């Protein structure tokens, strides 16, 4: 079974702190994603990475950065945490679609359990 | 990506089929229909996806209308553990994989 793990289920940080959220997947997936989930807003994509050291901005990248030094690990960094970054953070991974897609199973994203971050 | 419209919530009796509709009238030719669900306090879970043909797997069936403007996810024998938020997502594959945009979804309550 694919397993995506996140470093913490619950985290409480103070305004202005630097926060690291870690995500690890064990299925050799090329793609990794960071989302946040807020009531009434659904899941929104923050950043994704399609290879080591590669990253692309999602829909709401402001206030966040990411790091992918190893294929299995994707880190989300809040440089200076603010109260409006209190949220549920979800990491996901998937295989990469090589050019014109032909293989169905490459589209499935596997999600971790989430980290509920509170910034006070 | 095409916009989707789903009912806010639905109830289903345990053991009966749950039919969850989704409208995606602006879907374009290369866009797939995906379904995910999210059980309380867990990350989303992939259920099924399709392009134009009906699809079935061990979890569910996906029925896509001929004009592809709507689809229905069918859970053939709903159980209490199927109570979750169900997301219908329409998106086209990109070079590096597909990008999912999650809306509000449908809250499915399975009742005994």
């Amino acid at each position: 079974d694919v397993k995506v793990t996140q470093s913490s289920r619950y985290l409480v940080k103070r305004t202005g702190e630097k926060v690291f959220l870690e995500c690890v997947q064990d299925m050799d997936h090329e793609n990794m994603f960071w989302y946040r989930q807020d009531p009434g807003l659904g899941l929104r994509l923050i950043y994704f990475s399609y290879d080591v050291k590669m990253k692309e901005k999602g829909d709401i990248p402001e206030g966040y950065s990411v790091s992918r030094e190893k294929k299995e690990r994707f880190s989300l960094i809040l440089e200076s945490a603010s109260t409006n970054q209190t949220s549920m953070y979800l990491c996901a991974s998937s295989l990469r679609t090589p050019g014109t897609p032909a293989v169905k199973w490459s589209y499935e994203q596997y999600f971790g359990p989430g980290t509920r971050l509170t910034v006070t | 990506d095409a916009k989707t419209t789903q009912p806010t919530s639905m109830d289903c009796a345990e053991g009966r089929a749950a039919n969850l509709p989704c409208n995606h009238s602006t879907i374009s030719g290369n866009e797939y229909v995906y379904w995910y669900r999210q059980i309380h306090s867990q990350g989303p879970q992939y259920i099924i996806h399709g392009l134009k043909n009906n699809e079935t797997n061990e979890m569910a069936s996906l029925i896509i209308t001929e004009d592809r403007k709507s689809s229905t996810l069918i859970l053939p024998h709903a159980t209490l553990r199927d109570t979750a938020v169900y997301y219908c997502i329409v998106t086209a594959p990109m070079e590096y994989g597909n990008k999912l945009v999650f809306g509000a979804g449908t809250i499915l309550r399975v009742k005994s």
Side-chain angles (χ1 to χ4, degrees):
Chain A
D1 276 355
V2 176
K3 199 161 186 185
V4 179
T5 56
Q6 297 183 226
S7 48
S8 307
R9 286 304 304 269
Y10 300 93
L11 207 53
V12 180
K13 294 292 183 181
R14 294 196 179 276
T15 302
E17 278 193 81
K18 190 168 186 175
V19 181
F20 293 86
L21 302 182
E22 300 282 334
C23 176
V24 178
Q25 50 93 5
D26 66 358
M27 282 301 291
D28 204 34
H29 284 174
E30 293 88 355
N31 295 342
M32 296 189 75
F33 308 81
W34 274 108
Y35 295 85
R36 65 176 281 178
Q37 184 172 28
D38 302 287
L41 297 175
L43 274 82
R44 294 177 291 167
L45 181 65
I46 304 171
Y47 268 98
F48 70 97
S49 167
Y50 54 87
D51 206 342
V52 175
K53 296 192 186 296
M54 306 304 288
K55 61 184 179 184
E56 291 284 338
K57 292 180 180 179
D59 299 316
I60 51 163
E62 297 79 20
Y64 303 95
S65 61
V66 290
S67 172
R68 186 129 180 242
E69 296 296 319
K70 293 185 177 181
K71 191 175 185 179
E72 68 272 16
R73 189 179 298 269
F74 191 35
S75 301
L76 180 70
I77 303 155
L78 287 65
E79 295 289 343
S80 178
S82 64
T83 54
N84 63 12
Q85 293 179 309
T86 291
S87 185
M88 170 68 84
Y89 289 88
L90 290 152
C91 174
S93 73
S94 76
L95 287 162
R96 186 166 73 202
T97 320
T100 303
V103 182
K104 286 186 178 181
W105 45 258
S106 67
Y107 301 151
E108 177 177 354
Q109 286 189 23
Y110 295 86
F111 283 81
T115 296
R116 185 163 293 284
L117 172 68
T118 302
V119 182
T120 61
Chain B
D1 294 336
K3 182 176 168 58
T4 62
T5 304
Q6 299 178 251
T8 303
S9 65
M10 294 179 65
D11 290 338
C12 177
E14 190 177 20
R16 304 297 293 268
N19 297 285
L20 292 93
C22 180
N23 285 320
H24 31 80
S25 58
T26 60
I27 192 169
S28 57
N30 66 338
E31 288 183 313
Y32 285 72
V33 180
Y34 297 82
W35 285 85
Y36 279 74
R37 74 179 183 183
Q38 188 173 21
I39 295 170
H40 183 62
S41 297
Q42 296 182 22
Q45 176 191 24
Y46 167 84
I47 302 172
I48 200 167
H49 77 278
L51 182 61
K52 54 183 177 181
N53 297 323
N54 297 337
E55 302 286 347
T56 296
N57 62 20
E58 65 279 2
M59 287 182 68
S61 294
L62 174 60
I63 308 298
I64 302 174
T65 57
E66 195 168 338
D67 63 9
R68 302 209 321 126
K69 293 185 177 183
S70 66
S71 60
T72 301
L73 178 75
I74 301 172
L75 308 179
H77 305 287
T79 70
L80 298 178
R81 287 177 295 182
D82 291 321
T83 293
V85 180
Y86 287 77
Y87 299 98
C88 170
I89 300 163
V90 171
T91 188
M94 305 182 302
E95 182 179 359
Y96 298 115
N98 59 324
K99 176 180 148 180
L100 302 177
V101 177
F102 289 78
T106 295
I107 300 169
L108 175 69
R109 299 185 193 90
V110 181
K111 300 183 175 181
S112 57

